[in-house]
Amino acid sequence: MKEIYLDNNATTKVDEAVFEEMRPYFCELYGNPSSMHFFGGQVQKKVDEARNRVAALLGALPEEIIFTACGTESDNAAIRSALEVFPEKRHIITTRVEHPAVLTLCRNLTKKGYRVTELNVDNAGRLDLNELRSALDDNTAIVSVMYANNETGVIFPVEEVAAIAKEKGALFHTDAVQAVGKIPLNMAASSIDMLSLSGHKLHAPKGIGVLYVRKGVPFRPFMVGGHQEKGRRAGTESTSSIIALGKACELATKFMEDENTRVKGMRDRLERELMALIPSARVNGGAADRLPNTTSIAFEFVEGEAILLLLSENGICASSGSACTSGSLEPSHVLRAMGVPFTCAHGSIRFSLSRFTTDGDIDAVIRELPPVVNRLREMSPFGREFLQSK
Ligand code: PLP
């Protein structure tokens, strides 16, 4: 069965051009870029080129780019660095809707005596900047607020957040793993101190990430050992993946316009048609500014997992916000933070598109999903009651 892949916020297909770019760096050009000989030197040149390409996508300087193993590592490195830079400051501010890469770290840090404020969001997933202002104090080492949410696509006003953080001398980090490559960023005109990205969300392979650290911002490495990455991240570089990420960033610039017109158009059509065909469906975060490729839709009185399984039988790959926690199906922490009612949060499905999504993929969901939701509603007592009341 050919897959209809609408789970691009989970991971993306490696672009063929990206794969071709990295291919020679396994069996032919396998030298270590730190080696003195010509064989390592030619790899170093390609790593430098990749760094320039990543920097160009971000509007950053090449020396502000640190290659890491993933988005999770970048997030951990940024927050831990700030705590080392300001050992006397014991307060961290983040949000209730961060990815676990930030949230789990922050919650673990409370066990080590740090105070963590998790900012709330409203029912459209938006932050209240006044809550941030009241939470900030001279003891705040770092504010870490994601650029865009992985489940709903809601975009946060990170520049405003960064400016407020600065007023109290705190560093500002943003987890931009879902934003990079989808919306334009320009670090040269930004107040962001540190930013995380992950290759596998923008058509590069898994296992490569970047931490951007603004020039002049103090940084203490999380990984220590060799002198790679100017002493900021020890460990022999994953050269093939770095080279792949460079190419992926170059392509992201080229396809940015497409993402914000054609891809967004397909996402909007999907929402419009599903809303028209399925009663009691709503877009989570629909009232907020969102990424062009993401939609999270709640179908009341159905289990998201059941929808996913039935869609999967028809080749359609999407995801639900739910995680299976200790045997009970908990609705997603993001939707709970937004106050999405339990009956809706449980039946929420995320569709995330990419430049490889076609109109035919969207047609398939519009064709297959309404009967699936109807069938599941007929099978549940609440669903039946709802259908009979219509
Ligand atoms: N942050 C966000 C917002 C994400 O969506 C993800 C991955 O889903 C991560 C961090 C973690 O990135 P990685 O899988 O590269 O560790």
Side-chain angles (χ1 to χ4, degrees):
M1 180 165 47
K2 176 85 184 83
E3 80 282 3
I4 293 171
Y5 189 75
L6 295 168
D7 200 12
N8 288 281
N9 285 11
T11 198
T12 57
K13 166 191 162 112
V14 174
D15 192 300
E16 308 269 342
V18 167
F19 184 59
E20 284 312 315
E21 187 93 0
M22 78 189 292
R23 189 200 284 275
Y25 295 88
F26 290 97
C27 303
E28 296 152 48
L29 301 169
Y30 52 83
N32 187 325
S34 300
S35 298
M36 294 298 289
H37 46 68
F38 81 96
F39 196 58
Q42 59 196 19
V43 180
Q44 182 62 55
K45 280 207 189 78
K46 280 299 282 188
V47 169
D48 292 344
E49 180 191 75
R51 199 182 304 280
N52 290 338
R53 286 171 162 179
V54 175
L57 176 64
L58 298 182
L61 302 170
E63 62 265 34
E64 295 175 322
I65 304 301
I66 304 174
F67 290 112
T68 65
C70 54
T72 301
E73 182 192 326
S74 302
D75 287 342
N76 275 256
I79 294 170
R80 287 183 184 280
S81 168
L83 301 180
E84 291 221 7
V85 166
F86 300 123
E88 69 293 353
K89 297 190 179 187
R90 310 284 291 172
H91 180 221
I92 303 165
I93 298 181
T94 186
T95 77
R96 284 177 65 193
V97 297
E98 297 297 308
H99 187 273
V102 167
L103 219 38
T104 307
L105 170 66
C106 290
R107 288 177 185 170
N108 286 350
L109 285 165
T110 61
K111 294 178 202 136
K112 300 221 156 112
Y114 289 94
R115 189 161 57 86
V116 174
T117 304
E118 293 178 13
L119 301 173
N120 293 299
V121 293
D122 68 9
N123 58 17
R126 291 172 298 219
L127 283 179
D128 173 359
L129 296 181
N130 286 328
E131 194 192 351
L132 167 67
R133 281 192 191 91
S134 358
L136 257 179
D137 58 35
D138 296 332
N139 202 24
T140 311
I142 183 160
V143 176
S144 182
V145 168
M146 68 200 319
Y147 211 114
N149 188 269
N150 44 303
E151 290 187 25
T152 58
V154 171
I155 298 172
F156 281 149
V158 288
E159 291 300 340
E160 285 172 69
V161 175
I164 296 169
K166 292 284 155 64
E167 287 167 18
K168 285 282 179 189
L171 289 175
F172 177 71
H173 163 254
T174 185
D175 174 340
V177 164
Q178 294 293 347
V180 173
K182 294 173 188 157
I183 50 176
L185 301 179
N186 183 11
M187 292 303 108
S190 162
S191 302
I192 295 167
D193 293 311
M194 292 183 276
L195 173 147
S196 304
L197 71 88
S198 174
H200 73 104
K201 310 290 184 179
L202 65 148
H203 306 290
K206 295 157 188 67
I208 180 70
V210 162
L211 179 64
Y212 157 89
V213 180
R214 178 175 298 283
K215 195 173 172 184
V217 166
F219 181 74
R220 303 279 180 280
F222 170 49
M223 298 273 279
V224 292
H227 291 107
Q228 293 88 354
E229 299 297 284
K230 297 204 165 79
R232 295 171 302 176
R233 201 278 189 180
T236 301
E237 299 87 340
S238 179
T239 48
S240 53
S241 295
I242 289 172
I243 290 160
L245 178 60
K247 183 67 182 174
C249 287
E250 188 189 70
L251 291 174
T253 310
K254 190 170 142 202
F255 285 104
M256 188 75 72
E257 171 77 18
D258 178 63
E259 186 85 28
N260 287 278
T261 52
R262 192 184 63 88
V263 174
K264 180 174 183 300
M266 287 190 289
R267 190 276 310 266
D268 291 347
R269 179 165 78 90
L270 178 66
E271 288 182 348
R272 237 181 5 255
E273 301 217 13
L274 292 180
M275 292 306 108
L277 291 166
I278 303 176
S280 206
R282 63 168 100 163
V283 176
N284 296 313
D289 192 14
R290 285 179 300 148
L291 292 174
N293 79 317
T294 310
T295 183
S296 163
I297 309 182
F299 304 99
E300 211 175 358
F301 309 119
V302 271
E303 286 288 344
E305 279 69 22
I307 300 179
L308 287 182
L309 288 176
L310 293 175
L311 285 180
S312 180
E313 281 177 10
N314 291 296
I316 298 169
C317 309
S319 94
S320 76
S322 314
C324 192
T325 327
S326 52
S328 69
L329 285 171
E330 284 284 315
S332 109
H333 71 288
V334 174
L335 301 182
R336 265 184 299 150
M338 289 165 67
V340 174
F342 198 75
T343 49
C344 294
H346 256 299
S348 287
I349 302 293
R350 177 187 71 187
F351 297 99
S352 43
L353 288 60
S354 83
R355 61 176 181 258
F356 295 106
T357 305
T358 63
D359 280 319
D361 296 339
I362 301 301
D363 291 341
V365 180
I366 293 167
R367 191 176 58 240
E368 303 295 343
L369 186 52
V372 160
V373 172
N374 201 48
R375 200 166 117 203
L376 290 170
R377 281 178 175 166
E378 277 168 354
M379 283 161 66
S380 89
F382 288 123
R384 264 199 309 276
E385 207 175 291
F386 168 74
L387 289 174
Q388 278 155 13
S389 72
K390 301 253 25 127

